[in-house]
């Protein structure tokens, strides 16, 4: 077998990677009249790292800076985005399309929880069905002149991330991780998937980076020393920010007031997105 060139149109290695390449002609199209300029997917190599929180923070800050922002909640079996923004309104449907719900701060949003009769109702679907609905959230929703869309993906490299990378015009991804030793493996899984799909990695976000003592201000590394800078240097991608373990995040999410939070932790990331 010859060596893989990572160019599926000319490679003769027979490694099967052509199954996962991005074919522009096969991508899902938006509804006539819908408009989305830039698409950023927020991913992680494992669950529990706060990916939805990072998606929410990026969207809220981008909207705060005057851009028209949207969130496509692609984590259909564990949607948490609507709760964080205090949204409970059901999505409405017209004859041939759906309408996104708009948060009080102006962010357009679609989520499975905005289609269910009750937010606690489980979604008991297999992977291909879930992936198909995510594609519909792109192609059958009347997105109104969106500057930046953030897609909150479920963790790992399964059906939904693969569908999004193959079927939607993703301009880049943001990888979310945490400080543990296994960060290198986790980040590289997401990074390598993006490389295989020819999707740019825009930056890394480290969540739960430290806990700041409320009395003395000392930074306590609950999960050990950070390794994110070393991994970023090795892969040649920037660090968007390091988020502390802050009870205020959970409190505001529980209140549905995430859009009101102002913080500078992800300023570098938002500035980077403006250059796309």
């Amino acid at each position: 077998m010859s060596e893989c060139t990572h160019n599926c149109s000319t490679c003769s290695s027979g490694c099967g990677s052509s199954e996962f390449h991005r074919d522009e002609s096969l991508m899902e199209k938006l509804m006539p009249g819908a408009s989305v300029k830039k698409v950023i997917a927020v991913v992680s190599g494992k669950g529990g790292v706060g990916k939805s929180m990072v998606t929410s923070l990026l969207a809220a800050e981008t909207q705060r800076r005057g851009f028209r922002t949207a969130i496509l909640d692609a984590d259909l079996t564990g949607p948490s985005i609507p709760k964080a923004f205090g949204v409970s309104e059901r999505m409405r449907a017209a004859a041939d399309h759906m309408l996104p719900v708009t948060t009080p701060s102006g962010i357009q949003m679609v989520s499975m929880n905005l289609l269910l009769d009750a937010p606690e109702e489980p979604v008991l679907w297999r992977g291909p069905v879930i992936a198909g609905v995510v594609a519909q959230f792109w192609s059958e929703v009347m997105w109104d002149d969106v500057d930046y869309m953030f897609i909150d993906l479920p963790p790992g490299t399964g059906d939904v991330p693969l569908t999004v990378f193959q079927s939607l015009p993703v301009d880049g991804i943001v990888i979310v991780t945490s400080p543990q030793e296994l960060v290198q493996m986790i980040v590289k899984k997401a990074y390598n998937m993006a490389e295989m799909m020819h999707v740019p990695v825009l930056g890394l976000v480290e969540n739960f980076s430290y806990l700041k003592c409320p009395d003395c201000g000392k930074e306590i590394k609950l999960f050990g020393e950070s390794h994110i800078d070393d991994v970023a240097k090795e892969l040649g991608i920037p660090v968007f920010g390091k988020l502390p373990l802050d009870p205020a995040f959970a409190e505001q999410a529980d209140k549905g007031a995430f859009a009101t939070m102002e913080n500078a932790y992800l300023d570098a990331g938002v500035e980077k997105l403006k250059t796309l």
Side-chain angles (χ1 to χ4, degrees):
M1 182 182 293
S2 60
E3 184 179 354
C4 179
T5 66
H6 302 289
N7 184 340
C8 296
S9 63
T10 60
C11 182
S12 60
S13 69
C15 64
S17 61
S18 58
E19 177 185 354
F20 303 114
H21 79 290
R22 280 157 58 96
D23 187 336
E24 301 289 336
S25 66
L26 298 178
M27 284 192 176
E28 297 286 342
K29 303 296 189 294
L30 287 171
M31 292 284 305
S35 173
V36 178
K37 298 181 179 67
K38 298 295 180 182
V39 179
I40 297 97
V42 182
V43 309
S44 65
K46 65 181 292 294
V49 297
K51 180 174 40 54
S52 295
M53 187 183 79
V54 172
T55 302
S56 300
L57 286 173
L58 286 171
E61 184 59 30
T62 305
Q63 180 79 9
R64 192 177 292 117
R65 296 188 184 202
F67 296 98
R68 295 178 63 85
T69 305
I71 299 176
L72 192 161
D73 187 356
D75 194 354
L76 266 62
T77 59
S80 58
I81 296 287
K83 171 68 174 176
F85 286 89
V87 174
S88 57
E89 176 187 347
R90 294 283 297 276
M91 289 174 59
R92 294 181 292 118
D96 60 350
H97 64 269
M98 295 179 285
L99 297 172
V101 171
T102 302
T103 71
S105 63
I107 297 173
Q108 298 174 51
M109 179 185 298
V110 298
S111 173
M112 194 66 206
N113 258 20
L114 303 179
L115 293 172
L116 301 175
D117 292 330
E120 298 85 6
E121 184 179 332
V123 177
L124 303 177
W125 296 344
R126 297 190 184 276
V129 177
I130 292 175
V133 172
V134 171
Q136 287 180 289
F137 278 175
W138 168 263
S139 62
E140 297 182 17
V141 172
M142 187 58 71
W143 297 106
D144 184 13
D145 194 23
V146 173
D147 293 315
Y148 292 95
M149 172 183 284
F150 296 91
I151 303 181
D152 183 29
L153 288 174
T157 55
D159 285 328
V160 172
L162 185 58
T163 295
V164 168
F165 284 179
Q166 286 187 311
S167 304
L168 275 59
V170 179
D171 293 286
I173 69 169
V174 175
I175 301 176
V176 184
T177 187
S178 53
Q180 293 98 323
E181 279 282 356
L182 49 75
V183 62
Q184 189 170 2
M185 179 190 69
I186 294 169
V187 169
K188 285 186 175 180
K189 280 183 181 291
Y191 177 85
N192 288 335
M193 182 180 188
E195 285 283 287
M196 291 175 64
M197 303 300 299
H198 306 292
V199 177
V201 179
L202 303 176
L204 306 177
V205 174
E206 182 178 78
N207 200 14
F208 314 134
S209 187
Y210 57 89
L211 172 68
K212 182 169 287 190
C213 175
D215 297 321
C216 67
K218 179 182 177 180
E219 293 184 0
I220 304 168
K221 308 295 178 63
L222 290 177
F223 298 102
E225 291 297 326
S226 173
H227 301 275
I228 197 73
D229 292 319
D230 295 335
V231 176
K233 182 178 180 180
E234 179 185 349
L235 298 178
I237 51 182
V239 175
F240 272 13
K242 299 176 182 179
L243 300 178
L245 187 63
D246 189 344
F249 288 148
E251 182 181 351
Q252 293 301 97
D254 288 341
K255 290 180 179 178
F258 220 80
T260 65
M261 291 198 64
E262 294 188 29
N263 65 77
Y265 299 120
L266 296 178
D267 278 354
V270 176
E271 289 299 318
K272 172 71 174 180
L273 297 180
K274 289 165 61 177
T275 67
L276 289 177

